[in-house]
Amino acid sequence: MLFRDSAAAVGALCLSRALFLHMTEQFVHVHGHQPSSSEARSWERSIPVLASALNDAGLGQVEMILEYGLPLNSKRADVVLAGVHPRTGLPSYVVVELKQWSSAEPDDDDPSLCRVDTYTRPVLNPVDQVRGYCKYLVSFNGALAKHPDRVSGAAYLHNATEFGINGLFEARQDQYGQLFIGARRGEFVEFLRTKLGTVSGASAADELVNAKIGPSRQLMAVAAEEVREREQFVLLDEQQVAYRQVLNAVRRAKGSDHKEVVVVTGGPGTGKSVIALSLLGELYRQGTTALHATGSKSFTSTMRKVAGARKPAIQDLFKYFNSFMTAGRNGLDVLICDEAHRIRETSANRFTRASNRTGKPQIEELIDAARVPVFLLDEHQVVRPGELGTVSDIKAAAAKKGLRCVVVPLEGQFRCGGSDAYLRWVVRLLGLEPGGPVRWEPDGKMRLLVAESPQEMETFLGGRRSRGYSARMSAGYCWKWTKQVPAGQALPPDVVIGDWQRPWNVYGDRAVAGAPPSALWATDPAGFGQVGCVYTAQGFEYDWSGVIIGPDLVWRGDRWVTDRTASKDPVFKRSTPNADVDRLIRNTYKVLLTRGMIGTVVYSTDPETRAKLRELAGSATESLAAV
C-alpha cells in the first residue's frame, strides 16, 4: 500500500495536497520510477471524491488503504476500506475501484468487456475488475480466507451520468461487484453505510494488512483440477480481458464460419501460462476441440504428467509446435500456443520424412490448424538462434492470410513475488532496457542475495528446502554437457567451479541414478543437486532460485561483455552473428534470474563481476548464513 489513514484524515490531507506528494514519494520508493501522469491524476481527482462520500456518510473513522497491493502479484486495488459492520460488529471490508470515465459502453460481444474512448482496445468492465480483486483476496489473504462474506466490492464511476454508462449495468452484479455512478451518489453513500459502521476501522485494517498470506498456487500443483474439473485461478484485469477475447472469438467462429488470431504478450510472470491453462480447462469442459502446444519439451512433458496423471486421455491435449505439419485446415476450434516465442522457422528436422518437408513456415502451420489460433509469448525470452515467435511475425502471417489479429498486452507481475521492481531491475541489469544497471532497493516482495561461492549458494538453498520451500540451481551454458551416461553410472559432475562440482540435469527422457528426466527437473524434488540450464528452467518457477553467471557474461569497467567462446551451447554456430549471440546470452540470464517466487541467489564465476553484483545489490547484500 502507498498510504493508510482514516477517511477524515485523508480528506484533510487532500485539501492541503500533502497526500499526493506523499503517495508520489512512496510510489517511487516502492516501484523505482515515477507514477504515470494518469495514475497521479487519478489520485488527485478520485481519492478526494471517495473521502468526501465517506465523511458525508458519517464514516470518517473508516480506514482508507490506498493503492493496496494484492498478495503475491504487482496488481493494486485503488482503495480498500476497512471498518466494522454496522449490524454484526465484525470486521468489514469494501474494495473500491475508482474510474474517472464519463462515458463507456459495453463491448458488442461481451458485457464483461467495455469500450472507452481513451483506450484503443476493449477493457474489463470495472464491476468484473473489482470482483476479481475480491475473489483474489479471499483466495490469498488469511483474514478473508475463512470469512469471504466480510468483503464487498464496488466500482464507483464518479464522473459518469446514467446516459453515459447505462450499458455497463448489463454486467452481472453481486456482493463482490456492484456499480455506482456520480449522478446517483446517494446510492453509493447508502451502500457504504450498509457495509461499514461509524466506529474506528483501525483494528480491522491491521488484521487485513498483517494477515498471513497464502502460498502462490503454482501452475503445476493445480493443473489437473484446472483441466478436469473447475477454475482454480483467479484471472485479473488484462488477464481476464485476454481470456474473454479468446472465448468471444471462439463463439464468433462457431456462429459464422469465422477465423481470427489472438496474440497475448507479456513478460515473465504476467500469467500467460495461467491464461493458457484456464482457457484449455474451460474449452475442455465446454466440449470445444482445443489443444495446448509449446516448443518446450520440458513444459509439455510436465503438463502431460501432471494434468493427465489420473486420466491419460488428457495427456493428448498437450502437443508440440511441430505436431501440426500434416494437420487438416481448421481441424481444431482452438489451438493454444504457449511459449510462442519459441516458434521455429519450420517444423522440419533431421527426422522429418521427405514427403513432409514442404518448407511451410511453422507460424502458418499453427494458424492453419485452428479457427482460433492463440499465441502467448514474451519476445525477451528468445534464447536460441532461429526462434522467431514475435508479435510482428504473427501479425504479418495473419495479414498474409487476410485474418483479423487481436493483440492483448499483459502488465501485472505474478512471478518474483509480484515484484515489478525486481523484474525492472533485472532487465536494466542486463541492458535489455536503456538506462544501465541500478542499485536494488528491497521492496518487501522479492529477496536478492549475492553468494561468494557456489558452495554457499547450495548450502543456503538446501536450508530453504529443509523448511519446506522449493529451490533449484541453474547456470549459463558454460560447461560441456555429458549427453550419454552408461547404465548404472551416476551423472558426471560436468559443472566444475574450483573444488565444487555438480552434474547438469539429466539429458534425455529417462531418470539416471535417482535424478529425474530433463523434462521434470524443475518440478521433481529430486531435481535439486543438479544444475539446470535455460532449456529446462524456462517456463517454470520455484520458491528460491540460485543462478550461476558463467564466463560467457562478465562485467568489465562500465559494461557487460559477452564471450561467445566461453559458451558451450551447441545452438551457437560459427555463422551465428556476434550481435545475436550477445542478445541471446543476455536473454538466457533474464530467464534464469526470473524463475524465483520468493528470492534469487546469484553468483558469478568472475571476481570483477561478483564485485559489481555486490555493489548493485546494495543493502540487499548480506551473509547468506544470517538469512
Side-chain angles (χ1 to χ4, degrees), residues 216-435:
S216 172
R217 294 191 178 192
Q218 296 203 10
L219 188 66
M220 301 309 164
V222 293
E225 288 79 7
E226 178 62 43
V227 174
R228 288 197 304 266
E229 297 167 11
R230 60 188 180 87
E231 284 191 39
Q232 295 290 309
F233 300 103
V234 178
L235 302 180
L236 301 177
D237 295 354
E238 64 269 13
Q239 293 179 332
Q240 187 69 235
V241 172
Y243 175 82
R244 301 197 72 88
Q245 290 272 44
V246 173
L247 295 182
N248 292 336
V250 172
R251 189 177 66 252
R252 288 192 293 269
K254 288 182 175 180
S256 58
D257 193 27
H258 180 82
K259 182 181 175 86
E260 64 184 88
V261 178
V262 181
V263 180
V264 181
T265 178
T270 48
K272 299 182 297 295
S273 292
V274 168
I275 294 169
L277 200 59
S278 296
L279 282 168
L280 186 65
E282 177 61 23
L283 296 168
Y284 182 77
R285 291 186 294 273
Q286 289 181 4
T288 299
T289 58
L291 293 176
H292 180 284
T294 77
S296 166
K297 185 174 184 179
S298 296
F299 196 85
T300 298
S301 297
T302 301
M303 294 305 300
R304 286 175 174 174
K305 178 183 177 182
V306 177
R310 290 182 295 169
K311 194 172 182 181
I314 289 179
Q315 296 179 6
D316 293 334
L317 300 178
F318 299 94
K319 305 292 185 182
Y320 296 105
F321 290 155
N322 62 3
S323 302
F324 301 91
M325 298 175 67
T326 60
R329 188 177 182 86
N330 296 332
L332 297 168
D333 292 321
V334 184
L335 177 59
I336 302 166
C337 301
D338 201 358
E339 300 265 303
H341 42 266
R342 303 191 69 171
I343 290 174
R344 310 289 291 184
E345 185 176 352
T346 72
S347 296
N349 56 41
R350 67 181 187 273
F351 302 111
T352 304
R353 294 179 180 178
S355 59
N356 291 336
R357 294 178 180 271
T358 63
K360 186 176 182 180
Q362 191 173 77
I363 288 179
E364 291 191 21
E365 290 176 355
L366 297 171
I367 290 176
D368 288 347
R371 291 193 177 278
V372 181
V374 182
F375 298 91
L376 303 104
L377 60 93
D378 173 9
E379 294 177 319
H380 286 317
Q381 286 200 51
V382 174
V383 296
R384 284 186 174 185
E387 292 180 340
L388 43 72
T390 67
V391 174
S392 59
D393 289 330
I394 296 169
K395 289 177 70 174
K400 180 180 177 182
K401 296 176 177 294
L403 300 176
R404 180 189 183 209
C405 183
V406 176
V407 179
V408 184
L410 303 176
E411 297 174 356
Q413 173 58 226
F414 289 76
R415 189 171 288 148
C416 304
S419 174
D420 54 357
Y422 175 76
L423 182 60
R424 189 173 296 106
W425 182 85
V426 169
V427 296
R428 289 282 296 272
L429 169 73
L430 297 172
L432 297 173
E433 283 187 0

Side-chain angles (χ1 to χ4, degrees), residues 31 41 112 155 195 197 242 273 276 514 537 581:
H31 299 287
R41 189 165 55 248
S112 289
K195 301 297 181 182
S273 292
V581 173

